[in-house]
Amino acid sequence: MITLLRRLVIPTVMLLAVVLVPSNVAQAQSAAELERRIDEAWEELEPVIEDYNRVKSELEKNQKKSEKLAEKLVPLEMRLNLAMESINEVAAHYYKGGNFSALNSLLASGSPTAFMEQLAVLNLVARDQQEQIEEVSRTKRDYEDQKAEIDALILEQEEQVADLERRKDEIESELAELEELLDAAYTQVGAGTGTGTGEVTGGCPAVTGSGPGYTAAQFACAQIGKPYQYGSSGPNSYDCSGLTQAAWAAAGVSLTHYTGAQWNEGTPVSRAEAIPGDLVFFYDSLSHVGIYVGNGLMVDAPRTGLNVSMRSIDTMPIAGFRRPG
């Protein structure tokens, strides 16, 4: 199976040969071409990372559900045990000793009516206890069934996470090699390492405002310069959906650490209606997301090897805008 790196590096080797030609223009073009190829490789990797975030988020939710169900099982089991002890005591009292003593007493007193009333009460008590036991047992079985189902799902998702991590590590390893080639190309032209992300400087947010969206935008702006790290939602590093999740958490709104979920956790807005704090999504796969900060700009965590930055929303094909809250 031809790996991503082999598909990208074979033509890259030819490009690096151009670097040896004493032409700064040709060298700069080769570096730009390497950046383009890295971006293409990243487009393949980012959906894998977001799928990893999806499975991880679902896993965490199901683990919490399982823990809550386990907590509910404890008092149910205590109620069941107490009900069983209670009915056993009643049975022991009436059928092992108390019953005969009562019978002798009733025979001596000549009051069979009172004895029948005692038996009726016993039957009512026993029936009531049995109903309690059956109710608790049904509830306990229901919770145990739910917990067993969730535990099975957690095991399945843990396997998915392990598989996604393997795939992600393979592609990241290939990207790291490409990054080295890119650094080498820029060193040849004496230009340092480029980003190729369209990063811009200036006031952030790009427009003034107020409200939860503006709070989210301000938070995102404060993270500029922090490194990209897949699966991270801060405070020292972020991936794209981790940054948007943390930004809106600062505004008191909970979002899932997954672009696909965040797409459904907000109200659709048009580009013309977009205000600071709105989420802007990219590609048909919704594999990338940023925080809109006004004037056609966003703050996002671009990709591995780069830092959180402010850049144009036209850097990538836009899928749409969403407003959380």
Side-chain angles (χ1 to χ4, degrees):
M1 178 177 173
I2 299 177
T3 65
L4 174 63
L5 181 59
R6 286 180 60 191
R7 287 190 282 110
L8 294 174
V9 169
I10 290 174
T12 295
V13 173
M14 298 174 63
L15 283 167
L16 285 177
V18 179
V19 175
L20 301 177
V21 178
S23 169
N24 287 342
V25 174
Q27 291 168 342
Q29 287 177 341
S30 67
E33 177 66 11
L34 275 169
E35 283 186 343
R36 184 185 68 79
R37 292 183 181 279
I38 287 176
D39 288 339
E40 288 179 354
W42 183 252
E43 285 180 33
E44 292 190 26
L45 173 61
E46 195 160 41
V48 176
I49 290 177
E50 281 307 306
D51 201 29
Y52 165 80
N53 286 335
R54 174 188 61 80
V55 175
K56 185 179 177 182
S57 296
E58 291 176 357
L59 175 63
E60 290 172 351
K61 288 178 182 178
N62 285 327
Q63 285 174 331
K64 290 179 180 178
K65 287 181 182 178
S66 181
E67 290 172 0
K68 288 182 179 179
L69 284 171
E71 291 174 0
K72 290 180 180 179
L73 285 175
V74 174
L76 282 172
E77 191 168 6
M78 290 179 62
R79 282 176 56 192
L80 178 63
N81 291 336
L82 287 173
M84 288 296 296
E85 289 177 7
S86 178
I87 198 169
N88 286 338
E89 288 175 1
V90 171
H93 175 72
Y94 280 93
Y95 295 104
K96 291 184 179 179
N99 186 24
F100 294 115
S101 298
L103 177 59
N104 293 332
S105 176
L106 287 168
L107 289 174
S109 66
S111 179
T113 302
F115 179 66
M116 294 304 296
E117 289 175 352
Q118 279 189 313
L119 289 179
V121 170
L122 171 62
N123 288 334
L124 286 173
V125 171
R127 186 162 57 249
D128 179 64
Q129 292 290 327
Q130 187 60 38
E131 288 175 356
Q132 290 182 41
I133 292 172
E134 290 176 355
E135 179 184 356
V136 173
S137 296
R138 283 194 299 268
T139 306
K140 185 172 183 290
R141 283 194 301 269
D142 181 49
Y143 280 117
E144 286 177 337
D145 289 344
Q146 291 183 51
K147 186 177 184 301
E149 182 179 348
I150 291 175
D151 287 344
L153 182 58
I154 287 174
L155 289 175
E156 178 184 341
Q157 290 174 325
E158 286 175 342
E159 293 176 0
Q160 290 176 313
V161 168
D163 180 58
L164 286 169
E165 286 179 335
R166 285 192 295 269
R167 293 168 57 193
K168 172 172 51 57
D169 289 343
E170 290 172 2
I171 300 178
E172 280 198 329
S173 176
E174 294 170 347
L175 279 174
E177 294 185 40
L178 282 175
E179 290 281 6
E180 290 179 7
L181 291 174
L182 178 60
D183 290 345
Y186 272 99
T187 299
Q188 288 288 340
V189 298
T193 301
T195 62
T197 62
E199 181 176 351
V200 298
T201 58
C204 183
V207 296
T208 59
S210 61
Y214 193 72
T215 299
Q218 285 182 311
F219 178 93
C221 290
Q223 311 313 306
I224 289 177
K226 294 184 179 180
Y228 178 98
Q229 176 61 52
Y230 69 84
S232 177
S233 56
N236 299 318
S237 60
Y238 300 90
D239 64 13
C240 70
S241 58
L243 176 63
T244 52
Q245 180 192 46
W248 272 96
V253 176
S254 177
L255 295 178
T256 304
H257 188 175
Y258 167 51
T259 54
Q262 290 181 7
W263 174 264
N264 295 314
E265 290 171 343
T267 303
V269 294
S270 68
R271 178 168 182 161
E273 297 170 324
I275 59 175
D278 288 347
L279 306 183
V280 53
F281 294 83
F282 301 90
Y283 304 108
D284 292 338
S285 61
L286 305 177
S287 60
H288 192 75
V289 64
I291 291 275
Y292 187 66
V293 294
N295 290 345
L297 300 173
M298 68 172 175
V299 172
D300 72 329
R303 61 169 167 83
T304 186
L306 300 178
N307 298 328
V308 175
S309 61
M310 181 169 67
R311 54 184 183 151
S312 170
I313 61 174
D314 293 313
T315 303
M316 298 166 284
I318 298 174
F321 295 79
R322 290 293 186 273
R323 183 169 300 160

